[in-house]
Amino acid sequence: MAVPDWAEQREALAFGPACPQPESRPGSIYSTELGPVSEDCLSLNVWAPEDASNAPVFVWIHGGSLTTGAGSQDMYDGARMAREQGLVVVTLNYRLGILGYLAHPGLSAESAQGISGNYGLMDQTLALEWVKRNIGAFGGNPDNVTVAGESAGALSVVLLMTSPKAKGLFDKAIAQSAYMVTMAALKETANGLPSAESTGAELAKRMGASDIKDLRAMSAKDLVYKSAKAGFFPFAVIDDVYLTDQMVATFDKGEQAPVPVLAGFNEGEIRSLRFLLPPAPKPDAYEPAIRKGYADLAEAFLEIYPADSLDSSMLATTRDAMYGWSAERLVASQSAFGYPSYFYLFDHGYPAADRAGLHAFHASEIPYMFGTTSEAVAPWPEIPDTEEENGLSKAMMAYWASFARDGRPAAQGSAAWPAYEDKATGMVFADEPQPWPMLSRNRFDLHEEVVCRRRAAGNIPWNWNVGILSPPLPPKDSKCQ
């Protein structure tokens, strides 16, 4: 429910509370102090340049596996972007976990549209509607809005691009480490996944609830804790209202938002997310598992991900199947429909991260593109205050801001960023930004073929079931050319 309009001056100098979520995992580099937490958490934050007028608007959606995070985290401070790049920066909260993504037949029955789940996506859509109506009062241009995010925030960007409810609410999109994995349908089995309603009903039973009334009798804290203990994994749902098809299918049909895209991934994505990996097999078991899972594509797979560097191959397999393929698929799809789009790889390391074995880890690009490297405090690996690090950050801020301004990423004094095309051109951010033709093309082609065959078969999801976890690959299909 939207807050009623008011006429008097209202103090808005403190961040609103974060949405209910589990505590950070001990030792995680992503742990952070969120401050107050409340179910009354749907707020947004605005930073504007002094005397802003018709400024580009940059709306950031935080990551955290749709389970954790908040728009108030230090790394997302928009002050420097606003001050130095002339953007109006907006960050927002959205419902998380069971409160944001539970589908259940009891909830669907209460809905006038007969749907449930996707509550977090509804919140993000409502925030963009608020921006459209109100950002002009802060000096922003409601007709020049870029929606951006990282990880689950980037996933959210892709979902917004494919949602009929978000059409016309933004003009450009930035997706950093997105993952276009399989979604469940609300009411029927599809693509090898049970219906979201049946999953929600089973979850409620595992939590000791016989119906929605029992769930509502639990505190938000108990809901968060019990659902996590019961293994709930929040994700968007194909409900035929907010989402009408798998993300990749919507792009294939050309029904996505008609906007330019900037998207990419990090070289070390999985180094900080090793829980996404299966246990390492014995060296002599790796190649047989790949041949069993990938059939006629096994030779191509083993050439890219060889058995003689097992740990590196397993890290790269999951990285490329989730983040690399999703980023390039997104950019390739938009480019094919005539929307100039831009692809990148973040491959930058610095001493503290590299010593910890976390070179270019998941989310490590965020402080650079926000200009908040000094806000990245322990347990985040400390970013040194050097000319080199500050120079990379300044360049990335400029690229991101210029894309938000006019759809073309550019940074004075840095290399020109080529638009994506058949040659698969992109930009690599290592010690400094450099163009890189043919960026990851053979890897993309391999995973595109795997996803295409699974989609054509109709009964196998394209999630984390890759590498040694891959089920037998369906045979070649005429749809996959």
Side-chain angles (χ1 to χ4, degrees), residues 67-321:
T67 303
T68 62
S72 56
Q73 290 176 243
D74 290 343
M75 243 185 293
Y76 309 149
D77 189 311
R80 188 174 175 192
M81 264 194 165
R83 183 176 63 252
E84 296 184 9
Q85 301 297 331
L87 304 182
V88 173
V89 180
V90 179
T91 66
L92 57 97
N93 290 346
Y94 56 98
R95 282 172 286 182
L96 302 166
I98 188 171
L99 297 171
Y101 294 91
L102 175 67
H104 189 283
L107 292 172
S108 297
E110 295 176 355
S111 164
Q113 297 167 309
I115 62 173
S116 58
N118 289 337
Y119 301 111
L121 179 61
M122 295 177 194
D123 297 340
Q124 295 162 4
T125 304
L126 188 64
L128 289 172
E129 291 173 352
W130 185 95
V131 167
K132 196 76 170 173
R133 290 194 311 271
N134 296 292
I135 206 65
F138 297 87
N141 181 354
D143 296 318
N144 191 10
V145 174
T146 297
V147 63
E150 184 272 341
S151 194
L155 164 68
S156 298
V157 168
V158 179
L159 292 170
L160 289 163
M161 290 184 68
T162 59
S163 173
K165 293 290 189 179
K167 287 285 178 70
L169 295 179
F170 54 93
D171 308 279
K172 291 173 284 292
I174 298 176
Q176 302 169 211
S177 302
Y179 43 107
M180 290 199 290
V181 300
T182 325
M183 296 184 291
L186 181 63
K187 296 182 181 293
E188 63 268 350
T189 298
N191 298 107
L193 297 177
S195 75
E197 284 189 349
S198 65
T199 299
E202 180 59 32
L203 172 73
K205 289 180 183 177
R206 292 200 300 271
M207 294 172 63
S210 59
D211 54 25
I212 291 299
K213 182 180 178 181
D214 288 346
L215 287 174
R216 288 199 173 109
M218 300 179 190
S219 67
K221 184 175 181 179
D222 281 348
L223 285 169
V224 167
Y225 172 76
K226 289 183 178 182
S227 62
K229 188 176 180 180
F232 179 62
F233 181 79
F235 211 74
V237 175
I238 300 172
D239 60 6
D240 293 328
V241 177
Y242 279 83
L243 297 168
T244 60
D245 207 339
Q246 298 290 350
M247 291 175 273
V248 65
T250 300
F251 283 99
D252 284 351
K253 293 183 289 187
E255 295 175 355
Q256 75 277 22
V259 300
V261 164
L262 186 156
F265 68 108
N266 295 1
E267 192 279 335
E269 296 279 9
I270 313 299
R271 291 194 177 104
S272 57
L273 302 174
R274 283 183 174 267
F275 62 87
L276 295 176
L277 295 179
K282 294 180 180 179
D284 59 358
Y286 176 78
E287 185 172 329
I290 296 304
R291 293 194 180 280
K292 180 180 179 182
Y294 286 86
D296 58 295
L297 297 183
E299 288 296 336
F301 187 102
L302 290 166
E303 183 176 345
I304 300 170
Y305 311 108
D308 59 5
S309 51
L310 189 57
D311 187 58
S312 295
S313 290
M314 290 182 66
L315 288 168
T317 295
T318 301
R319 175 200 67 199
D320 294 343

Side-chain angles (χ1 to χ4, degrees), residues 432-445:
E432 59 184 22
Q434 290 291 340
W436 186 7
M438 299 304 293
L439 178 58
S440 74
R441 188 76 218 195
N442 61 333
R443 297 166 184 256
F444 172 75
D445 288 343

Side-chain angles (χ1 to χ4, degrees), residues 47-64:
W47 291 264
E50 190 173 355
D51 301 321
S53 176
N54 219 35
V57 182
F58 183 88
V59 179
W60 178 260
I61 303 176
H62 71 77

Side-chain angles (χ1 to χ4, degrees), residues 31-42:
S31 63
T32 185
E33 293 293 330
L34 292 174
V37 174
S38 169
E39 285 188 82
D40 185 10
C41 61
L42 302 184

Side-chain angles (χ1 to χ4, degrees), residues 409-466:
Q412 188 173 5
S414 294
W417 190 331
Y420 184 90
E421 52 190 28
D422 290 342
K423 291 181 295 195
T425 49
M427 184 72 87
V428 177
F429 294 92
D431 292 336
E432 59 184 22
Q434 290 291 340
W436 186 7
M438 299 304 293
L439 178 58
S440 74
R441 188 76 218 195
N442 61 333
R443 297 166 184 256
F444 172 75
D445 288 343
L446 171 66
H447 293 288
E448 173 68 16
E449 177 72 14
V450 170
V451 172
C452 186
R453 290 196 198 182
R454 290 181 175 183
R455 289 175 60 201
N459 60 352
I460 306 175
W462 49 97
N463 295 330
W464 296 271
N465 51 344
V466 295

